[in-house]
Amino acid sequence: MIDSHIHILPGIDDGAADNAVSIQMAKVAIDDGIHSLICTPHDLNSVYKNTRKSILECTSTLQQTLSDAGIEIKIYPGAELHIDSNLVTKVMEGDAITLADQNKHVLIEFPKHLVPYGTESILENLLYNNLTPIIAHPERNPVIASSDHILKEWTSWGCKSQLTAMSVTGQFGSALQTVSKQWCQQGLVHIIASDAHRPNGRSPKLALAHQTISQWLGAEAADILLKTNPRQVIDGEELLNIPVQHSDAEDKKSGRCFFNIFSRTKRAL
Ligand SMILES: [Fe+2]
């Protein structure tokens, strides 16, 4: 498996404090069946400033540290970008890093309890510039999680979603697990990742989530969410949809949304 959301780079955000913690996290990941990681420190959240250049340097340094310690795991650069009015400009100018530095997928973090005004415009602009927003843990945002339509509409435009493994497994409570299951069954989910911050507790483990998804939707869907699509991110390729059944009415509605959003985007630009 590949973990595409982990705060393992040492000393640059609220994740691993130093190299020793990073090494412990890498060992936990390997023991859980993870062979590759996309490092996603926070950026643009007004607390942590981690530029593309600094993240590339940190990732390279940690890869060498892990190698020197005899730990065989591949790590790629990335970031969790807090939604911000300057986000698109920062990405387009190369100040903020895309996942695996492929200029394709942008991992976006929302405030804990709201969806800021202007969100739709930012998502539209990313899509218009051939960048794919991946919404980080939408199930943990109460506005998105309690809505019948927000994630469905965003994904119909081309946005993708990434759930946290502990939401899927029920370790964050039954409410988050219920909405996670509903969205998986509706085909609104594209990746599951750990969002690990430390070796214990919020740790880099995905095996239980793979097992849970296999029970809900079968092994093929679990592999897409935890193996294939994270690999697609690393390669800068389009993500696959998990196999679910759509009614004709839902497909027509989805197509209508896609047309509308790009009509609006072109008018705005
Ligand atoms: Fe995170």
Side-chain angles (χ1 to χ4, degrees):
M1 292 177 290
I2 298 171
D3 192 358
S4 57
H5 185 158
I6 180 169
H7 299 262
I8 193 173
L9 294 181
I12 64 171
D13 69 356
D14 56 347
D18 52 33
N19 278 334
V21 178
S22 300
I23 288 171
Q24 288 177 37
M25 290 175 74
K27 288 179 175 176
V28 170
I30 291 168
D31 286 346
D32 198 62
I34 295 165
H35 58 74
S36 301
L37 307 169
I38 304 178
C39 309
T40 52
H42 295 287
D43 187 22
L44 304 182
N45 68 351
S46 74
V47 179
Y48 304 106
K49 305 285 186 200
N50 291 305
T51 64
R52 173 176 175 269
K53 183 171 181 288
S54 68
I55 290 168
L56 288 173
E57 290 171 358
C58 280
T59 305
S60 177
T61 300
L62 180 60
Q63 183 74 80
Q64 188 61 52
T65 300
L66 294 170
S67 178
D68 292 345
I71 297 169
E72 293 188 16
I73 193 165
K74 177 68 180 170
I75 65 171
Y76 296 87
E80 180 177 17
L81 305 179
H82 196 87
I83 194 150
D84 180 280
S85 58
N86 294 319
L87 186 149
V88 182
T89 303
K90 293 267 188 184
V91 172
M92 296 297 290
E93 292 181 350
D95 292 333
I97 194 167
T98 57
L99 292 177
D101 198 31
Q102 288 280 13
N103 283 322
K104 175 64 178 172
H105 296 101
V106 180
L107 183 63
I108 298 181
E109 175 188 46
F110 283 82
K112 278 190 171 62
H113 302 294
L114 55 91
V115 174
Y117 180 79
T119 289
E120 192 173 84
S121 168
I122 293 167
L123 298 178
E124 285 176 349
N125 271 324
L126 286 168
L127 289 163
Y128 193 78
N129 285 288
N130 295 317
L131 292 160
T132 302
I134 297 181
I135 312 300
H137 38 69
E139 80 284 4
R140 288 160 51 191
N141 180 298
V143 175
I144 305 173
S146 62
S147 164
D148 286 333
H149 68 275
I150 292 178
L151 191 63
K152 191 176 288 185
E153 184 169 15
W154 290 354
T155 54
S156 78
W157 302 344
C159 297
K160 309 299 179 185
S161 76
Q162 181 196 72
L163 303 187
T164 299
M166 292 177 75
S167 302
V168 171
T169 59
Q171 291 162 290
F172 281 163
S174 59
L176 269 63
Q177 187 181 37
T178 297
V179 72
S180 297
K181 186 175 183 179
Q182 288 171 349
W183 286 346
C184 285
Q185 291 171 328
Q186 291 172 316
L188 304 180
V189 178
H190 303 85
I191 294 189
I192 293 167
S194 76
D195 193 10
H197 282 65
R198 50 193 67 92
N200 303 304
R202 295 180 68 184
S203 60
K205 294 184 178 178
L206 297 176
L208 186 57
H210 188 281
Q211 184 181 325
T212 305
I213 296 294
S214 295
Q215 290 168 354
W216 290 349
L217 296 171
E220 181 187 356
D223 283 351
I224 289 173
L225 296 176
L226 290 137
K227 298 177 182 177
T228 310
N229 274 348
R231 172 56 64 189
Q232 294 291 96
V233 169
I234 288 171
D235 293 340
E237 301 290 344
E238 297 288 338
L239 303 190
L240 310 183
N241 291 317
I242 55 176
V244 293
Q245 293 198 337
H246 288 288
S247 68
D248 287 348
E250 283 179 330
D251 287 343
K252 284 176 185 169
K253 187 179 176 187
S254 174
R256 209 159 50 238
C257 287
F258 188 82
F259 173 78
N260 285 345
I261 187 65
F262 279 95
S263 298
R264 286 206 303 276
T265 306
K266 286 175 182 172
R267 278 203 301 277
L269 294 171

